[in-house]
């Protein structure tokens, strides 16, 4: 593994999002002095918080899986996650609601889920689910250490028995087809393949290897931290500060000073901070702008679809909603084509509705409730631009409320007391390329060693972290990106971590 040469005693981490906080903890655990510079007044980055009328709205990710990766970050500085976060396992992990009126609770326990699948679609599908679960577990074990939690220096690192094992599992086929080998019910197949959209690719075109995200959701379990998702970056930042990390909030990095091929200082709108190495966690265009260079690629980066998120504080709840509810439209393949190829809004959207007050009522005033509605949409490279969204946003918001009422949430529009609408215009304003918070799509040419590297040619002591670089998009992988960035500086490798079990 290539590492940053020369002195690396003092590291400046630019950005206190999940990637930057993970990097800071792993660097501190390896004995480095660490300063974290964050433009906002609080940690979190994309995992932000908006408070309106007593409603505490998480403005970033709402699904938390693989908490052992959080535990690993805390453990780097001798801390325990259990002392800092109260994680509640969600049962069910999701509730799926279909256009034909059927519902399915997605359990992470094998027996509970098999029983639910049998109730929903019969004993043959239940047997198929058990076979699918076994395949997901084997796929995870084949990938995690060798293809996800790893720093690639060359595509040639792919070759070996692990690649053959992944190929034998069908990892290089298509996700939708592979899931179809286990499940014939089209509705069930959606539950185990919609996760491909997290990676920015429709299930029909995604590599089957990306079923590892379904493993994280439907086997490893889904959790929720009391206090909301923003409690995660707060806890990570507290652990880093107690371990000696220095945080400077409300400062914007404006440029990097260089001497030859090394960064010698980080310059903010307030100060100049000398450093031996730097970790940049901004979205790729921002990081490359600071570095003053862009790595050459044979193909232009393709970005994932974006999303409209409607945060609602309401005076009532709907018992039919779970903590996470998947509301599927009748259309499926067509709508993916609309947002990934045609640049149009979903004509029959599939939505993720998160109701965090179902688990933690303290996030809203007494007797009130929070609901987040996530609607995938085209990014601004192929769909409406940021300016168009300023006019389109309010109309789309009204259409979402109408559609949700039609799908069984009567009175939703009239129940709203506080709200926050986030569209690609907002993501653009926050510096996210193509107006998407999900960064570069996980096409084959942008996966593993082909994804933008966390080492940038021409700069010897700068390392990238975040969802745009390796290993990719999502809370677990972003936490890993911070760990991998730290390893580029410290030379640390795996320290006894096992991926041999589900």
């Amino acid at each position: 593994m290539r590492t940053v040469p020369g002195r690396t005693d003092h590291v400046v981490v630019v950005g206190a999002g999940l990637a930057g906080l993970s990097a800071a903890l792993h660097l501190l655990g390896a004995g480095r002095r660490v300063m974290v510079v964050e433009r906002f007044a609080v940690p979190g980055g994309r995992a932000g918080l908006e408070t309106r009328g007593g409603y505490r709205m998480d403005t970033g990710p709402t699904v938390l899986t693989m908490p052992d990766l959080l535990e690993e970050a805390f453990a780097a500085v001798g801390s325990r996650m259990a002392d800092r976060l109260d994680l509640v396992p969600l049962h069910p992990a999701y509730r799926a609601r279909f256009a034909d009126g059927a519902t399915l609770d997605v359990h992470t326990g094998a027996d509970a889920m098999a029983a639910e699948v049998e109730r929903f679609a019969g004993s043959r599908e239940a047997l198929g689910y058990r076979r699918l679960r076994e395949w997901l577990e084997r796929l995870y074990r084949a990938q995690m250490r060798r293809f996800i939690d790893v720093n690639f220096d060359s595509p040639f690192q792919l070759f070996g028995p692990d690649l053959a094992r992944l190929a034998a599992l069908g990892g290089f086929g298509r996700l939708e087809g592979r899931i179809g080998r286990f499940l014939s019910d089209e509705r069930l197949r959606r539950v185990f393949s919609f996760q491909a959209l997290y990676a920015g690719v429709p299930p029909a075109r995604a590599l089957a290897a990306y079923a590892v995200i379904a493993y994280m959701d439907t086997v490893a379990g889904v959790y929720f931290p009391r206090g909301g998702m923003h409690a995660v970056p707060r806890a990570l930042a507290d652990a880093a500060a107690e371990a000696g990390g220095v945080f400077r909030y409300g400062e914007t990095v404006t440029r990097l000073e260089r001497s030859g091929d090394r960064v010698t200082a980080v310059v903010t709108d307030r100060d100049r901070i000398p450093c031996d190495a730097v970790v940049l966690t901004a979205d790729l265009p921002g990081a490359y702008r600071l570095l003053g260079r862009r790595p050459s690629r044979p193909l232009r980066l393709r970005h994932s679809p974006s999303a409209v998120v409607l945060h609602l504080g309401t005076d009532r709840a709907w018992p039919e909603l779970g903590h996470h509810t998947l509301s599927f439209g009748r259309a499926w393949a067509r709508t993916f084509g609309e947002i990934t190829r045609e640049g149009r809004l979903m004509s029959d959207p599939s939505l993720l509705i998160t109701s965090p007050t179902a688990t933690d009522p303290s996030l809203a005033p007494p007797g009130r409730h929070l609901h987040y509605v996530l609607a995938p949409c085209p990014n601004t490279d192929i769909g409406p631009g940021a300016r168009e969204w300023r006019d389109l946003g309010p109309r789309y918001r009204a259409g979402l409320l109408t559609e949700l009422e039609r799908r069984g949430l009567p009175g939703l529009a009239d129940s709203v007391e506080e709200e926050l609408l986030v569209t690609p215009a907002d993501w653009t304003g926050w510096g996210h390329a193509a107006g998407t918070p999900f960064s570069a799509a996980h096409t084959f040419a942008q996966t593993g060693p082909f994804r933008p590297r966390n080492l940038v040619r021409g700069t010897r002591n700068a390392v990238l972290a975040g969802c745009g670089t390796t290993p990719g998009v999502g809370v677990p992988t972003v936490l890993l990106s911070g760990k991998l960035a730290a390893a580029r500086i410290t030379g640390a490798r795996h320290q006894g971590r096992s991926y041999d079990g589900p």
Side-chain angles (χ1 to χ4, degrees):
M1 179 183 69
R2 288 177 54 206
T3 58
V4 169
R7 184 172 176 173
T8 61
D9 295 347
H10 182 224
V11 184
V12 174
V13 177
V14 179
L18 295 179
L21 294 169
S22 173
L25 286 164
H26 286 285
L27 287 165
L28 287 163
R32 296 328 190 255
R33 290 185 295 114
V34 176
M35 178 175 288
V36 181
V37 181
E38 169 57 53
R39 59 177 170 162
F40 295 122
V42 295
R46 299 181 202 208
L49 176 69
E50 179 83 16
T51 300
R52 297 192 174 190
Y55 292 93
R56 294 172 55 81
M57 302 175 179
D58 287 311
T59 57
T62 60
V63 178
L64 178 62
T65 63
M66 306 297 290
D68 54 319
L69 296 175
L70 278 173
E71 183 73 80
E72 188 177 18
F74 286 116
V77 293
S79 185
R80 294 176 66 248
M81 181 174 66
D83 295 334
R84 298 182 178 276
L85 285 172
D86 181 8
L87 296 188
V88 181
L90 298 182
H91 302 296
Y94 295 93
R95 176 163 293 156
R97 294 165 56 88
F98 299 92
D100 62 3
T103 62
L104 173 79
D105 281 350
V106 180
H107 299 283
T108 51
D111 292 339
M113 188 58 185
E116 178 70 353
V117 170
E118 184 168 357
R119 177 199 65 80
F120 182 80
S123 58
R124 183 173 180 178
E125 293 294 271
L127 289 173
Y129 158 73
R130 289 190 182 275
R131 292 172 49 236
L132 170 61
R133 183 186 178 96
E134 180 185 354
W135 177 72
L136 290 172
E137 292 172 348
R138 293 168 62 200
L139 191 72
Y140 171 79
R141 290 194 295 269
Q143 286 192 76
M144 193 63 179
R145 181 182 291 276
R146 290 289 296 130
F147 301 106
I148 300 175
D149 187 6
V150 63
N151 273 314
F152 283 101
D153 292 326
S154 164
F156 293 107
Q157 284 179 246
L158 285 173
F159 297 103
D162 295 295
L163 185 68
R165 189 176 300 114
L166 183 58
L169 287 169
F172 297 105
R174 296 300 176 192
L175 174 63
E176 198 167 72
R178 177 59 58 169
I179 299 295
R181 293 190 178 196
F182 302 102
L183 301 170
S184 60
D185 189 295
E186 190 268 347
R187 299 166 301 173
L188 285 175
R189 293 202 299 268
R190 293 188 188 188
V191 169
F192 293 95
S193 62
F194 81 91
Q195 296 89 350
L197 198 57
Y198 297 159
V201 186
R205 291 192 286 128
L207 290 176
Y210 281 106
V212 72
I213 310 175
Y215 167 89
M216 295 176 183
D217 275 4
T218 66
V219 177
V222 178
Y223 297 79
F224 185 74
R226 293 201 185 277
M229 287 290 288
H230 188 67
V232 173
R234 289 201 312 270
L236 292 169
D238 287 346
E242 291 173 21
V246 177
F247 284 79
R248 297 177 64 159
Y249 293 109
E251 290 193 45
T252 299
V253 174
T254 57
R255 63 188 177 90
L256 304 176
E257 281 189 9
R258 304 171 66 102
S259 176
D261 56 7
R262 293 187 73 88
V263 175
T264 56
V266 173
V267 180
T268 76
D269 53 0
R270 296 186 188 179
D271 201 1
R272 174 185 178 276
I273 308 167
C275 63
D276 298 318
V278 62
V279 177
L280 302 175
T281 70
D283 208 13
L284 290 177
Y288 293 149
R289 187 166 53 252
L290 286 172
L291 290 167
R293 61 195 66 211
R294 178 184 297 271
S296 59
R297 291 180 60 86
L299 299 173
R300 180 187 177 192
L301 276 179
R302 288 181 52 191
H303 288 89
S304 298
S306 186
V308 172
V309 185
L310 179 57
H311 303 261
L312 302 173
T314 67
D315 62 10
R316 61 166 292 187
W318 290 263
E320 53 268 49
L321 295 177
H323 185 111
H324 295 298
T325 301
L326 299 164
S327 177
F328 290 108
R330 291 189 182 279
W332 185 242
R334 184 181 80 238
T335 56
F336 281 117
E338 288 168 347
I339 64 171
T340 63
R341 290 182 172 177
E342 300 168 28
R344 298 192 294 120
L345 297 175
M346 284 185 168
S347 56
D348 183 16
S350 291
L351 309 169
L352 172 63
I353 306 166
T354 297
S355 305
T357 44
T359 302
D360 186 353
S362 72
L363 298 172
R368 299 300 191 261
H369 309 273
L370 274 173
H371 307 283
Y372 311 145
V373 183
L374 185 150
C377 69
N379 64 46
T380 57
D381 278 349
I382 64 169
R387 289 186 179 181
E388 294 172 85
W389 270 108
R390 294 189 181 99
D391 296 325
L392 176 59
R395 299 199 306 272
Y396 192 63
R397 172 245 183 224
L400 277 177
L401 292 176
T402 299
E403 179 63 17
L404 288 167
E405 291 196 352
R406 188 189 68 78
R407 293 187 185 187
L409 304 181
L412 177 60
D414 290 338
S415 75
V416 176
E417 294 185 333
E418 297 285 349
E419 66 179 279
L420 172 66
L421 178 68
V422 180
T423 74
D426 299 293
W427 303 124
T428 298
W430 294 329
H432 301 317
T436 173
F438 305 118
S439 197
H442 283 264
T443 60
F444 180 78
Q446 296 178 178
T447 295
F450 308 112
R451 198 164 181 80
R453 304 274 182 88
N454 55 9
L455 290 180
V456 180
R457 188 171 299 169
T459 305
R460 304 185 75 192
N461 63 336
V463 187
L464 305 183
C467 60
T469 186
T470 186
V473 178
V475 172
T477 40
V478 164
L479 290 169
L480 282 174
S481 81
K483 171 190 168 185
L484 295 174
R488 289 291 195 185
I489 293 171
T490 66
R493 298 179 182 271
H494 294 284
Q495 297 178 359
R497 178 169 166 72
S498 172
Y499 296 108
D500 292 335

